[in-house]
């Protein structure tokens, strides 16, 4: 049997540094647009939004910070907890 060095026999998602490949492409395009907006229009808001998106999409152990925040909101705020005392 041939054993390959690829992760999960090519079933794992593609990652580039700390982001998924899709998120990295979005960050690259958003960074270019925010630099143009900063230089031409002197608007800082697109750069701040790009940095926030970059921070929220950091991927560690197949979970992003944004996913963790969604799970926390769902657990603590949006879903009802059921407790049974015995």
């Amino acid at each position: 049997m041939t054993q390959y060095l690829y992760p999960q026999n090519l079933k794992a998602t593609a990652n580039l540094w700390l982001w998924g490949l899709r998120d990295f492409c979005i960050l690259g395009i958003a960074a270019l647009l925010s630099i143009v907006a900063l230089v031409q229009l002197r608007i800082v808001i697109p750069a701040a939004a790009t940095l926030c998106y970059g921070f929220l999409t950091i991927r560690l152990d197949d979970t992003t910070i944004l996913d963790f925040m969604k799970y926390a909101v769902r657990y603590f705020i949006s879903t009802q907890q059921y407790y049974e005392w015995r």
Side-chain angles (χ1 to χ4, degrees):
M1 178 174 204
T2 305
Q3 187 174 15
Y4 298 103
L5 297 177
Y6 298 116
Q8 309 290 326
N9 284 334
L10 297 176
K11 296 193 189 290
T13 59
N15 290 332
L16 192 61
W17 294 307
L18 294 175
W19 295 275
L21 194 58
R22 180 183 63 102
D23 295 328
F24 190 77
C25 291
I26 292 171
L27 275 173
I29 293 169
L32 287 175
L33 292 175
S34 63
I35 288 171
V36 169
L38 183 63
V39 170
Q40 296 295 322
L41 304 173
R42 307 231 190 260
I43 300 174
V44 184
I45 295 172
T50 302
L51 287 174
C52 287
Y53 180 77
F55 176 73
L56 290 176
T57 56
I58 290 176
R59 183 170 296 277
L60 297 172
D61 296 332
D62 291 333
T63 303
T64 63
I65 295 173
L66 186 61
D67 291 338
F68 178 74
M69 290 173 61
K70 286 179 189 175
Y71 298 149
V73 165
R74 188 179 306 140
Y75 182 77
F76 289 115
I77 297 173
S78 66
T79 59
Q80 181 178 358
Q81 300 295 319
Y82 177 73
Y83 296 104
E84 185 175 319
W85 295 89
R86 292 183 185 222

